[in-house]
Short mmCIF file of all heavy atoms in Angstrom, two decimals:
data_model
loop_
_atom_site.label_atom_id
_atom_site.label_comp_id
_atom_site.label_asym_id
_atom_site.label_seq_id
_atom_site.Cartn_x
_atom_site.Cartn_y
_atom_site.Cartn_z
N MET A 258 -131.61 -45.20 88.21
CA MET A 258 -131.22 -45.52 86.85
C MET A 258 -132.23 -44.92 85.88
O MET A 258 -133.42 -44.96 86.09
CB MET A 258 -131.16 -47.03 86.68
CG MET A 258 -130.76 -47.45 85.30
SD MET A 258 -130.62 -49.25 85.21
CE MET A 258 -131.31 -49.49 83.62
N ASN A 259 -131.74 -44.38 84.79
CA ASN A 259 -132.61 -43.83 83.75
C ASN A 259 -133.24 -44.97 82.97
O ASN A 259 -132.64 -46.03 82.80
CB ASN A 259 -131.83 -42.93 82.81
CG ASN A 259 -131.37 -41.66 83.49
OD1 ASN A 259 -132.05 -41.16 84.37
ND2 ASN A 259 -130.22 -41.16 83.11
N ASN A 260 -134.42 -44.73 82.46
CA ASN A 260 -135.09 -45.72 81.62
C ASN A 260 -134.82 -45.41 80.16
O ASN A 260 -135.17 -44.34 79.67
CB ASN A 260 -136.59 -45.73 81.87
CG ASN A 260 -136.93 -46.23 83.26
OD1 ASN A 260 -136.29 -47.14 83.76
ND2 ASN A 260 -137.93 -45.65 83.87
N TYR A 261 -134.21 -46.33 79.47
CA TYR A 261 -133.91 -46.19 78.06
C TYR A 261 -134.47 -47.40 77.31
O TYR A 261 -134.62 -48.47 77.88
CB TYR A 261 -132.40 -46.12 77.81
CG TYR A 261 -131.74 -44.90 78.40
CD1 TYR A 261 -131.06 -44.97 79.60
CD2 TYR A 261 -131.80 -43.68 77.73
CE1 TYR A 261 -130.45 -43.86 80.14
CE2 TYR A 261 -131.19 -42.56 78.27
CZ TYR A 261 -130.51 -42.65 79.47
OH TYR A 261 -129.92 -41.55 79.99
N ALA A 262 -134.74 -47.19 76.03
CA ALA A 262 -135.19 -48.29 75.19
C ALA A 262 -134.95 -47.91 73.74
O ALA A 262 -134.81 -46.73 73.40
CB ALA A 262 -136.68 -48.56 75.40
N TYR A 263 -134.88 -48.92 72.91
CA TYR A 263 -134.88 -48.70 71.47
C TYR A 263 -136.34 -48.72 71.05
O TYR A 263 -137.08 -49.66 71.37
CB TYR A 263 -134.11 -49.80 70.75
CG TYR A 263 -132.64 -49.74 71.02
CD1 TYR A 263 -132.06 -50.56 71.99
CD2 TYR A 263 -131.81 -48.87 70.32
CE1 TYR A 263 -130.70 -50.50 72.25
CE2 TYR A 263 -130.45 -48.81 70.57
CZ TYR A 263 -129.91 -49.62 71.54
OH TYR A 263 -128.57 -49.56 71.80
N ILE A 264 -136.77 -47.68 70.37
CA ILE A 264 -138.18 -47.52 69.99
C ILE A 264 -138.29 -47.56 68.47
O ILE A 264 -137.49 -46.95 67.77
CB ILE A 264 -138.75 -46.16 70.48
CG1 ILE A 264 -138.50 -45.96 71.96
CG2 ILE A 264 -140.21 -46.04 70.12
CD1 ILE A 264 -139.27 -46.88 72.85
N THR A 265 -139.30 -48.29 67.98
CA THR A 265 -139.58 -48.29 66.55
C THR A 265 -141.08 -48.36 66.34
O THR A 265 -141.83 -48.71 67.26
CB THR A 265 -138.85 -49.44 65.82
OG1 THR A 265 -138.92 -49.22 64.42
CG2 THR A 265 -139.43 -50.79 66.18
N LEU A 266 -141.50 -48.04 65.14
CA LEU A 266 -142.92 -48.04 64.78
C LEU A 266 -143.19 -49.13 63.77
O LEU A 266 -142.44 -49.30 62.80
CB LEU A 266 -143.30 -46.68 64.18
CG LEU A 266 -144.72 -46.56 63.62
CD1 LEU A 266 -145.75 -46.70 64.73
CD2 LEU A 266 -144.89 -45.23 62.90
N LEU A 267 -144.26 -49.87 63.97
CA LEU A 267 -144.68 -50.90 63.05
C LEU A 267 -146.10 -50.54 62.60
O LEU A 267 -147.06 -50.74 63.32
CB LEU A 267 -144.66 -52.27 63.74
CG LEU A 267 -144.96 -53.50 62.91
CD1 LEU A 267 -144.04 -53.59 61.69
CD2 LEU A 267 -144.83 -54.75 63.75
N SER A 268 -146.20 -49.98 61.40
CA SER A 268 -147.50 -49.52 60.90
C SER A 268 -147.97 -50.30 59.68
O SER A 268 -149.06 -50.05 59.18
CB SER A 268 -147.45 -48.03 60.57
OG SER A 268 -146.49 -47.79 59.57
N THR A 269 -147.14 -51.23 59.22
CA THR A 269 -147.51 -52.10 58.13
C THR A 269 -146.86 -53.46 58.34
O THR A 269 -145.74 -53.54 58.86
CB THR A 269 -147.11 -51.52 56.76
OG1 THR A 269 -147.39 -52.47 55.73
CG2 THR A 269 -145.66 -51.14 56.71
N GLU A 270 -147.55 -54.50 57.96
CA GLU A 270 -147.00 -55.86 58.13
C GLU A 270 -145.71 -56.07 57.34
O GLU A 270 -144.91 -56.94 57.67
CB GLU A 270 -148.02 -56.89 57.69
CG GLU A 270 -149.22 -56.98 58.61
CD GLU A 270 -150.23 -57.98 58.11
OE1 GLU A 270 -149.88 -59.17 58.01
OE2 GLU A 270 -151.36 -57.55 57.81
N ASP A 271 -145.50 -55.25 56.32
CA ASP A 271 -144.30 -55.38 55.49
C ASP A 271 -143.01 -55.21 56.29
O ASP A 271 -141.97 -55.74 55.91
CB ASP A 271 -144.31 -54.36 54.36
CG ASP A 271 -145.43 -54.59 53.37
OD1 ASP A 271 -145.97 -55.72 53.31
OD2 ASP A 271 -145.78 -53.64 52.64
N TYR A 272 -143.08 -54.48 57.40
CA TYR A 272 -141.88 -54.21 58.19
C TYR A 272 -141.71 -55.17 59.36
O TYR A 272 -140.74 -55.05 60.12
CB TYR A 272 -141.87 -52.77 58.69
CG TYR A 272 -141.66 -51.79 57.57
CD1 TYR A 272 -142.68 -50.94 57.14
CD2 TYR A 272 -140.44 -51.70 56.93
CE1 TYR A 272 -142.48 -50.06 56.09
CE2 TYR A 272 -140.23 -50.83 55.88
CZ TYR A 272 -141.25 -50.00 55.48
OH TYR A 272 -141.04 -49.13 54.45
N LEU A 273 -142.61 -56.13 59.52
CA LEU A 273 -142.49 -57.08 60.62
C LEU A 273 -141.16 -57.84 60.58
O LEU A 273 -140.50 -57.96 61.61
CB LEU A 273 -143.67 -58.05 60.64
CG LEU A 273 -143.62 -59.12 61.72
CD1 LEU A 273 -143.57 -58.51 63.11
CD2 LEU A 273 -144.80 -60.07 61.58
N PRO A 274 -140.73 -58.34 59.41
CA PRO A 274 -139.43 -59.03 59.40
C PRO A 274 -138.28 -58.14 59.88
O PRO A 274 -137.38 -58.62 60.60
CB PRO A 274 -139.23 -59.41 57.92
CG PRO A 274 -140.63 -59.50 57.39
CD PRO A 274 -141.40 -58.42 58.11
N ALA A 275 -138.30 -56.87 59.55
CA ALA A 275 -137.24 -55.97 59.99
C ALA A 275 -137.26 -55.79 61.51
O ALA A 275 -136.21 -55.73 62.15
CB ALA A 275 -137.37 -54.61 59.30
N VAL A 276 -138.44 -55.71 62.09
CA VAL A 276 -138.56 -55.59 63.54
C VAL A 276 -138.03 -56.85 64.22
O VAL A 276 -137.31 -56.78 65.22
CB VAL A 276 -140.02 -55.31 63.95
CG1 VAL A 276 -140.22 -55.45 65.46
CG2 VAL A 276 -140.43 -53.91 63.50
N LEU A 277 -138.36 -58.00 63.67
CA LEU A 277 -137.89 -59.26 64.25
C LEU A 277 -136.36 -59.37 64.14
O LEU A 277 -135.70 -59.84 65.08
CB LEU A 277 -138.56 -60.44 63.57
CG LEU A 277 -140.08 -60.52 63.75
CD1 LEU A 277 -140.66 -61.66 62.93
CD2 LEU A 277 -140.48 -60.61 65.20
N ILE A 278 -135.81 -58.93 63.03
CA ILE A 278 -134.35 -58.94 62.86
C ILE A 278 -133.68 -57.96 63.82
O ILE A 278 -132.67 -58.27 64.44
CB ILE A 278 -133.97 -58.64 61.40
CG1 ILE A 278 -134.38 -59.82 60.51
CG2 ILE A 278 -132.48 -58.34 61.27
CD1 ILE A 278 -134.31 -59.53 59.03
N LEU A 279 -134.26 -56.77 63.95
CA LEU A 279 -133.72 -55.78 64.89
C LEU A 279 -133.70 -56.35 66.30
O LEU A 279 -132.70 -56.24 67.01
CB LEU A 279 -134.55 -54.49 64.84
CG LEU A 279 -134.20 -53.42 65.86
CD1 LEU A 279 -132.75 -52.97 65.72
CD2 LEU A 279 -135.16 -52.25 65.73
N ASN A 280 -134.78 -56.98 66.70
CA ASN A 280 -134.84 -57.58 68.03
C ASN A 280 -133.76 -58.64 68.21
O ASN A 280 -133.07 -58.67 69.24
CB ASN A 280 -136.23 -58.18 68.26
CG ASN A 280 -136.37 -58.73 69.65
OD1 ASN A 280 -136.26 -58.02 70.63
ND2 ASN A 280 -136.63 -60.02 69.73
N GLU A 281 -133.59 -59.48 67.22
CA GLU A 281 -132.57 -60.54 67.30
C GLU A 281 -131.16 -59.94 67.37
O GLU A 281 -130.31 -60.41 68.14
CB GLU A 281 -132.69 -61.47 66.09
CG GLU A 281 -131.86 -62.72 66.21
CD GLU A 281 -132.26 -63.61 67.37
OE1 GLU A 281 -133.45 -63.64 67.76
OE2 GLU A 281 -131.36 -64.29 67.91
N ASN A 282 -130.92 -58.91 66.58
CA ASN A 282 -129.60 -58.26 66.61
C ASN A 282 -129.32 -57.61 67.96
O ASN A 282 -128.18 -57.66 68.45
CB ASN A 282 -129.48 -57.23 65.49
CG ASN A 282 -129.29 -57.89 64.14
OD1 ASN A 282 -128.83 -59.02 64.04
ND2 ASN A 282 -129.66 -57.19 63.08
N LEU A 283 -130.33 -56.99 68.55
CA LEU A 283 -130.14 -56.40 69.88
C LEU A 283 -129.83 -57.47 70.92
O LEU A 283 -129.00 -57.26 71.81
CB LEU A 283 -131.37 -55.59 70.29
CG LEU A 283 -131.58 -54.28 69.51
CD1 LEU A 283 -132.92 -53.67 69.86
CD2 LEU A 283 -130.44 -53.30 69.80
N LYS A 284 -130.46 -58.63 70.79
CA LYS A 284 -130.14 -59.75 71.69
C LYS A 284 -128.71 -60.22 71.47
O LYS A 284 -127.98 -60.50 72.43
CB LYS A 284 -131.08 -60.92 71.45
CG LYS A 284 -132.46 -60.75 72.00
CD LYS A 284 -133.20 -62.07 71.81
CE LYS A 284 -134.67 -61.91 71.74
NZ LYS A 284 -135.35 -63.18 71.45
N ASN A 285 -128.30 -60.33 70.20
CA ASN A 285 -126.96 -60.85 69.88
C ASN A 285 -125.84 -59.97 70.41
O ASN A 285 -124.76 -60.48 70.71
CB ASN A 285 -126.81 -61.02 68.37
CG ASN A 285 -127.60 -62.19 67.84
OD1 ASN A 285 -127.99 -63.07 68.58
ND2 ASN A 285 -127.85 -62.18 66.54
N VAL A 286 -126.07 -58.67 70.51
CA VAL A 286 -125.03 -57.78 71.04
C VAL A 286 -125.23 -57.52 72.53
O VAL A 286 -124.56 -56.67 73.11
CB VAL A 286 -124.97 -56.44 70.26
CG1 VAL A 286 -124.61 -56.68 68.81
CG2 VAL A 286 -126.25 -55.65 70.40
N HIS A 287 -126.16 -58.27 73.14
CA HIS A 287 -126.41 -58.17 74.58
C HIS A 287 -126.77 -56.74 74.99
O HIS A 287 -126.24 -56.22 75.98
CB HIS A 287 -125.23 -58.69 75.39
CG HIS A 287 -124.83 -60.07 75.01
ND1 HIS A 287 -125.59 -61.19 75.29
CD2 HIS A 287 -123.76 -60.53 74.31
CE1 HIS A 287 -125.01 -62.26 74.82
NE2 HIS A 287 -123.89 -61.91 74.21
N SER A 288 -127.66 -56.12 74.23
CA SER A 288 -128.09 -54.76 74.54
C SER A 288 -128.68 -54.70 75.95
O SER A 288 -129.44 -55.58 76.35
CB SER A 288 -129.15 -54.30 73.54
OG SER A 288 -129.69 -53.05 73.95
N GLN A 289 -128.32 -53.66 76.66
CA GLN A 289 -128.87 -53.50 78.00
C GLN A 289 -130.24 -52.84 77.98
O GLN A 289 -130.90 -52.74 79.01
CB GLN A 289 -127.90 -52.73 78.89
CG GLN A 289 -127.59 -51.33 78.41
CD GLN A 289 -126.60 -50.63 79.31
OE1 GLN A 289 -126.56 -50.91 80.51
NE2 GLN A 289 -125.82 -49.73 78.75
N TYR A 290 -130.67 -52.38 76.79
CA TYR A 290 -131.95 -51.71 76.66
C TYR A 290 -132.90 -52.55 75.81
O TYR A 290 -132.50 -53.16 74.82
CB TYR A 290 -131.78 -50.33 76.01
CG TYR A 290 -130.74 -49.49 76.71
CD1 TYR A 290 -129.63 -49.04 76.03
CD2 TYR A 290 -130.86 -49.18 78.07
CE1 TYR A 290 -128.67 -48.26 76.68
CE2 TYR A 290 -129.91 -48.43 78.72
CZ TYR A 290 -128.82 -47.97 78.01
OH TYR A 290 -127.87 -47.22 78.66
N PRO A 291 -134.17 -52.57 76.18
CA PRO A 291 -135.13 -53.38 75.43
C PRO A 291 -135.58 -52.67 74.15
O PRO A 291 -135.42 -51.47 73.98
CB PRO A 291 -136.31 -53.51 76.39
CG PRO A 291 -136.27 -52.23 77.17
CD PRO A 291 -134.78 -51.92 77.33
N LEU A 292 -136.17 -53.45 73.28
CA LEU A 292 -136.84 -52.92 72.09
C LEU A 292 -138.31 -52.76 72.44
O LEU A 292 -138.94 -53.67 72.97
CB LEU A 292 -136.70 -53.89 70.91
CG LEU A 292 -137.47 -53.53 69.64
CD1 LEU A 292 -136.98 -52.21 69.06
CD2 LEU A 292 -137.36 -54.64 68.62
N VAL A 293 -138.86 -51.59 72.16
CA VAL A 293 -140.28 -51.32 72.36
C VAL A 293 -140.85 -50.92 71.01
O VAL A 293 -140.31 -50.02 70.35
CB VAL A 293 -140.52 -50.21 73.40
CG1 VAL A 293 -142.01 -49.93 73.55
CG2 VAL A 293 -139.91 -50.59 74.75
N VAL A 294 -141.91 -51.59 70.60
CA VAL A 294 -142.50 -51.37 69.28
C VAL A 294 -143.87 -50.74 69.43
O VAL A 294 -144.73 -51.28 70.14
CB VAL A 294 -142.62 -52.70 68.51
CG1 VAL A 294 -143.20 -52.47 67.13
CG2 VAL A 294 -141.26 -53.37 68.41
N GLY A 295 -144.07 -49.62 68.77
CA GLY A 295 -145.40 -49.02 68.66
C GLY A 295 -146.08 -49.68 67.47
O GLY A 295 -145.55 -49.64 66.36
N VAL A 296 -147.22 -50.32 67.71
CA VAL A 296 -147.93 -51.04 66.66
C VAL A 296 -149.26 -50.36 66.43
O VAL A 296 -150.04 -50.16 67.37
CB VAL A 296 -148.17 -52.52 67.05
CG1 VAL A 296 -148.86 -53.25 65.93
CG2 VAL A 296 -146.88 -53.20 67.44
N THR A 297 -149.52 -50.01 65.17
CA THR A 297 -150.79 -49.35 64.89
C THR A 297 -151.94 -50.35 64.99
O THR A 297 -151.80 -51.52 64.69
CB THR A 297 -150.79 -48.68 63.50
OG1 THR A 297 -150.42 -49.64 62.52
CG2 THR A 297 -149.83 -47.51 63.47
N GLU A 298 -153.08 -49.82 65.43
CA GLU A 298 -154.23 -50.68 65.73
C GLU A 298 -154.77 -51.42 64.51
O GLU A 298 -155.42 -52.45 64.65
CB GLU A 298 -155.33 -49.86 66.39
CG GLU A 298 -155.83 -48.72 65.54
CD GLU A 298 -156.68 -47.72 66.32
OE1 GLU A 298 -156.82 -47.85 67.55
OE2 GLU A 298 -157.19 -46.80 65.68
N ASN A 299 -154.47 -50.94 63.31
CA ASN A 299 -154.99 -51.59 62.10
C ASN A 299 -154.27 -52.90 61.77
O ASN A 299 -154.79 -53.69 61.00
CB ASN A 299 -154.91 -50.64 60.90
CG ASN A 299 -153.50 -50.23 60.56
OD1 ASN A 299 -152.73 -49.86 61.45
ND2 ASN A 299 -153.14 -50.31 59.31
N ILE A 300 -153.11 -53.17 62.37
CA ILE A 300 -152.39 -54.41 62.07
C ILE A 300 -152.11 -55.27 63.30
O ILE A 300 -151.55 -56.35 63.16
CB ILE A 300 -151.06 -54.14 61.34
CG1 ILE A 300 -150.08 -53.38 62.24
CG2 ILE A 300 -151.29 -53.44 60.02
CD1 ILE A 300 -148.66 -53.44 61.76
N ILE A 301 -152.53 -54.82 64.48
CA ILE A 301 -152.16 -55.53 65.71
C ILE A 301 -152.60 -56.99 65.68
O ILE A 301 -151.86 -57.87 66.12
CB ILE A 301 -152.69 -54.81 66.97
CG1 ILE A 301 -152.15 -55.47 68.23
CG2 ILE A 301 -154.20 -54.74 66.98
CD1 ILE A 301 -150.66 -55.45 68.39
N ASP A 302 -153.76 -57.29 65.14
CA ASP A 302 -154.25 -58.67 65.12
C ASP A 302 -153.33 -59.60 64.32
O ASP A 302 -153.21 -60.78 64.63
CB ASP A 302 -155.67 -58.75 64.55
CG ASP A 302 -156.68 -58.06 65.44
OD1 ASP A 302 -156.41 -57.91 66.65
OD2 ASP A 302 -157.75 -57.66 64.93
N HIS A 303 -152.69 -59.05 63.31
CA HIS A 303 -151.83 -59.86 62.45
C HIS A 303 -150.42 -60.06 63.01
O HIS A 303 -149.81 -61.10 62.78
CB HIS A 303 -151.73 -59.23 61.06
CG HIS A 303 -153.06 -59.03 60.40
ND1 HIS A 303 -153.79 -60.07 59.89
CD2 HIS A 303 -153.80 -57.92 60.21
CE1 HIS A 303 -154.92 -59.61 59.39
NE2 HIS A 303 -154.95 -58.31 59.57
N VAL A 304 -149.91 -59.05 63.71
CA VAL A 304 -148.52 -59.12 64.15
C VAL A 304 -148.34 -59.49 65.61
O VAL A 304 -147.25 -59.91 66.01
CB VAL A 304 -147.77 -57.78 63.86
CG1 VAL A 304 -147.82 -57.46 62.37
CG2 VAL A 304 -148.32 -56.64 64.68
N GLU A 305 -149.38 -59.38 66.40
CA GLU A 305 -149.26 -59.64 67.84
C GLU A 305 -148.71 -61.03 68.16
O GLU A 305 -147.85 -61.16 69.04
CB GLU A 305 -150.61 -59.43 68.52
CG GLU A 305 -150.55 -59.51 70.03
CD GLU A 305 -151.88 -59.16 70.66
OE1 GLU A 305 -152.95 -59.47 70.09
OE2 GLU A 305 -151.83 -58.58 71.75
N PRO A 306 -149.17 -62.09 67.47
CA PRO A 306 -148.60 -63.42 67.80
C PRO A 306 -147.08 -63.49 67.62
O PRO A 306 -146.38 -64.12 68.42
CB PRO A 306 -149.30 -64.36 66.82
CG PRO A 306 -150.55 -63.65 66.42
CD PRO A 306 -150.22 -62.19 66.47
N TYR A 307 -146.56 -62.83 66.60
CA TYR A 307 -145.12 -62.84 66.35
C TYR A 307 -144.36 -62.07 67.43
O TYR A 307 -143.31 -62.50 67.89
CB TYR A 307 -144.80 -62.24 64.98
CG TYR A 307 -145.41 -63.00 63.85
CD1 TYR A 307 -146.60 -62.58 63.26
CD2 TYR A 307 -144.82 -64.15 63.35
CE1 TYR A 307 -147.18 -63.28 62.22
CE2 TYR A 307 -145.38 -64.87 62.31
CZ TYR A 307 -146.57 -64.43 61.75
OH TYR A 307 -147.13 -65.13 60.73
N LEU A 308 -144.91 -60.93 67.83
CA LEU A 308 -144.27 -60.12 68.86
C LEU A 308 -144.28 -60.85 70.20
O LEU A 308 -143.28 -60.85 70.92
CB LEU A 308 -144.96 -58.77 68.98
CG LEU A 308 -144.95 -57.90 67.72
CD1 LEU A 308 -145.78 -56.64 67.92
CD2 LEU A 308 -143.53 -57.55 67.31
N LYS A 309 -145.40 -61.48 70.52
CA LYS A 309 -145.48 -62.23 71.78
C LYS A 309 -144.52 -63.41 71.77
O LYS A 309 -143.87 -63.69 72.78
CB LYS A 309 -146.91 -62.73 72.01
CG LYS A 309 -147.84 -61.65 72.48
CD LYS A 309 -149.21 -62.22 72.80
CE LYS A 309 -150.09 -61.17 73.43
NZ LYS A 309 -151.41 -61.71 73.79
N ARG A 310 -144.43 -64.12 70.65
CA ARG A 310 -143.55 -65.29 70.56
C ARG A 310 -142.10 -64.90 70.82
O ARG A 310 -141.34 -65.65 71.42
CB ARG A 310 -143.68 -65.93 69.18
CG ARG A 310 -142.84 -67.20 69.05
CD ARG A 310 -142.93 -67.81 67.69
NE ARG A 310 -142.24 -66.94 66.75
CZ ARG A 310 -142.62 -66.75 65.49
NH1 ARG A 310 -143.68 -67.35 65.00
NH2 ARG A 310 -141.93 -65.94 64.70
N GLU A 311 -141.71 -63.69 70.39
CA GLU A 311 -140.33 -63.23 70.57
C GLU A 311 -140.14 -62.38 71.83
O GLU A 311 -139.09 -61.81 72.03
CB GLU A 311 -139.89 -62.43 69.34
CG GLU A 311 -139.89 -63.23 68.06
CD GLU A 311 -138.96 -64.42 68.10
OE1 GLU A 311 -137.87 -64.31 68.69
OE2 GLU A 311 -139.32 -65.47 67.53
N ASN A 312 -141.18 -62.30 72.65
CA ASN A 312 -141.14 -61.51 73.89
C ASN A 312 -140.78 -60.05 73.65
O ASN A 312 -140.01 -59.45 74.41
CB ASN A 312 -140.19 -62.14 74.91
CG ASN A 312 -140.65 -63.49 75.37
OD1 ASN A 312 -141.84 -63.69 75.65
ND2 ASN A 312 -139.74 -64.44 75.41
N ILE A 313 -141.32 -59.49 72.59
CA ILE A 313 -141.07 -58.08 72.26
C ILE A 313 -142.13 -57.22 72.94
O ILE A 313 -143.33 -57.51 72.84
CB ILE A 313 -141.09 -57.86 70.74
CG1 ILE A 313 -139.97 -58.65 70.07
CG2 ILE A 313 -141.00 -56.37 70.40
CD1 ILE A 313 -139.99 -58.62 68.55
N ILE A 314 -141.68 -56.20 73.63
CA ILE A 314 -142.59 -55.26 74.27
C ILE A 314 -143.23 -54.42 73.18
O ILE A 314 -142.54 -53.90 72.30
CB ILE A 314 -141.83 -54.35 75.24
CG1 ILE A 314 -141.11 -55.17 76.31
CG2 ILE A 314 -142.77 -53.33 75.88
CD1 ILE A 314 -140.07 -54.39 77.09
N TYR A 315 -144.55 -54.26 73.25
CA TYR A 315 -145.23 -53.44 72.24
C TYR A 315 -146.36 -52.66 72.88
O TYR A 315 -146.88 -53.03 73.92
CB TYR A 315 -145.76 -54.30 71.09
CG TYR A 315 -146.82 -55.29 71.50
CD1 TYR A 315 -148.17 -54.96 71.42
CD2 TYR A 315 -146.47 -56.54 71.97
CE1 TYR A 315 -149.15 -55.86 71.81
CE2 TYR A 315 -147.43 -57.45 72.35
CZ TYR A 315 -148.77 -57.10 72.28
OH TYR A 315 -149.74 -57.99 72.66
N ARG A 316 -146.71 -51.57 72.24
CA ARG A 316 -147.82 -50.73 72.65
C ARG A 316 -148.66 -50.43 71.42
O ARG A 316 -148.12 -50.06 70.38
CB ARG A 316 -147.33 -49.41 73.27
CG ARG A 316 -146.48 -49.58 74.51
CD ARG A 316 -147.32 -50.11 75.68
NE ARG A 316 -146.51 -50.28 76.87
CZ ARG A 316 -145.99 -51.42 77.28
NH1 ARG A 316 -146.13 -52.51 76.57
NH2 ARG A 316 -145.31 -51.50 78.39
N VAL A 317 -149.96 -50.58 71.55
CA VAL A 317 -150.87 -50.29 70.44
C VAL A 317 -151.12 -48.79 70.39
O VAL A 317 -151.39 -48.16 71.42
CB VAL A 317 -152.20 -51.06 70.61
CG1 VAL A 317 -153.14 -50.75 69.46
CG2 VAL A 317 -151.94 -52.55 70.70
N ILE A 318 -150.98 -48.24 69.21
CA ILE A 318 -151.20 -46.81 69.02
C ILE A 318 -152.22 -46.60 67.90
O ILE A 318 -152.39 -47.46 67.04
CB ILE A 318 -149.88 -46.06 68.69
CG1 ILE A 318 -149.24 -46.65 67.43
CG2 ILE A 318 -148.91 -46.16 69.86
CD1 ILE A 318 -148.02 -45.91 66.98
N PRO A 319 -152.92 -45.47 67.92
CA PRO A 319 -153.93 -45.22 66.88
C PRO A 319 -153.30 -45.10 65.50
O PRO A 319 -152.18 -44.58 65.36
CB PRO A 319 -154.57 -43.90 67.28
CG PRO A 319 -154.12 -43.62 68.66
CD PRO A 319 -152.86 -44.40 68.90
N PHE A 320 -154.00 -45.58 64.51
CA PHE A 320 -153.57 -45.45 63.13
C PHE A 320 -153.98 -44.06 62.64
O PHE A 320 -155.12 -43.64 62.83
CB PHE A 320 -154.22 -46.51 62.25
CG PHE A 320 -153.87 -46.39 60.80
CD1 PHE A 320 -152.61 -46.73 60.34
CD2 PHE A 320 -154.79 -45.90 59.88
CE1 PHE A 320 -152.27 -46.61 59.01
CE2 PHE A 320 -154.46 -45.78 58.54
CZ PHE A 320 -153.22 -46.14 58.11
N MET A 321 -153.04 -43.35 62.06
CA MET A 321 -153.33 -42.02 61.52
C MET A 321 -152.98 -42.01 60.04
O MET A 321 -151.86 -42.32 59.67
CB MET A 321 -152.52 -40.95 62.24
CG MET A 321 -152.93 -40.79 63.69
SD MET A 321 -152.06 -39.46 64.51
CE MET A 321 -150.48 -40.22 64.81
N GLN A 322 -153.95 -41.73 59.24
CA GLN A 322 -153.75 -41.66 57.79
C GLN A 322 -153.04 -40.37 57.44
O GLN A 322 -153.45 -39.30 57.88
CB GLN A 322 -155.09 -41.75 57.06
CG GLN A 322 -154.98 -41.77 55.54
CD GLN A 322 -154.33 -43.06 55.04
OE1 GLN A 322 -154.56 -44.13 55.57
NE2 GLN A 322 -153.51 -42.93 54.03
N TYR A 323 -151.97 -40.46 56.70
CA TYR A 323 -151.24 -39.27 56.26
C TYR A 323 -151.93 -38.67 55.05
O TYR A 323 -152.27 -39.36 54.11
CB TYR A 323 -149.80 -39.63 55.89
CG TYR A 323 -149.04 -38.51 55.24
CD1 TYR A 323 -148.61 -37.42 56.00
CD2 TYR A 323 -148.78 -38.51 53.88
CE1 TYR A 323 -147.93 -36.39 55.40
CE2 TYR A 323 -148.11 -37.48 53.28
CZ TYR A 323 -147.67 -36.42 54.06
OH TYR A 323 -147.00 -35.38 53.46
N SER A 324 -152.16 -37.38 55.14
CA SER A 324 -152.70 -36.68 53.96
C SER A 324 -151.90 -35.39 53.80
O SER A 324 -151.92 -34.52 54.66
CB SER A 324 -154.19 -36.39 54.13
OG SER A 324 -154.43 -35.67 55.30
N PRO A 325 -151.17 -35.28 52.69
CA PRO A 325 -150.32 -34.11 52.48
C PRO A 325 -151.16 -32.83 52.37
O PRO A 325 -152.30 -32.86 51.91
CB PRO A 325 -149.62 -34.40 51.18
CG PRO A 325 -150.40 -35.49 50.52
CD PRO A 325 -151.15 -36.21 51.59
N ALA A 326 -150.56 -31.76 52.83
CA ALA A 326 -151.23 -30.44 52.73
C ALA A 326 -151.38 -30.06 51.27
O ALA A 326 -150.52 -30.35 50.44
CB ALA A 326 -150.42 -29.39 53.49
N THR A 327 -152.47 -29.44 50.98
CA THR A 327 -152.70 -29.01 49.59
C THR A 327 -152.48 -27.53 49.43
O THR A 327 -152.47 -26.77 50.30
CB THR A 327 -154.13 -29.35 49.15
OG1 THR A 327 -155.05 -28.79 50.06
CG2 THR A 327 -154.30 -30.85 49.07
#
């Protein structure tokens, strides 16, 4: 069997509610694939309790500051 998942990035706490809603919606439609969230290291301490409470799979990734080319 192939391994599939729904992947999203959580790089600011502002999007935590959207991730929680996405997870709930995937459960409601009985998705056969899990949600996996990439969480930047700068916010992991704040969001980890919520992700654990909802049994959301997550991976900590380095925070990279965007700087546009000049």
Side-chain angles (χ1 to χ4, degrees):
M258 180 177 141
N259 292 327
N260 292 323
Y261 295 100
Y263 292 98
I264 307 292
T265 193
L266 174 65
L267 185 55
S268 61
T269 175
E270 291 178 62
D271 295 340
Y272 290 110
L273 178 59
V276 169
L277 297 175
I278 291 168
L279 174 59
N280 184 61
E281 191 63 30
N282 285 336
L283 289 172
K284 285 187 205 175
N285 288 341
V286 298
H287 306 290
S288 172
Q289 61 181 330
Y290 307 120
L292 174 63
V293 178
V294 181
V296 182
T297 53
E298 60 194 4
N299 62 313
I300 65 163
I301 187 62
D302 294 337
H303 303 286
V304 302
E305 187 174 34
Y307 298 98
L308 299 174
K309 283 184 173 182
R310 183 182 70 215
E311 298 300 323
N312 296 316
I313 297 174
I314 301 166
Y315 64 92
R316 299 291 180 262
V317 180
I318 58 175
F320 177 73
M321 293 184 283
Q322 183 68 38
Y323 171 73
S324 56
T327 55

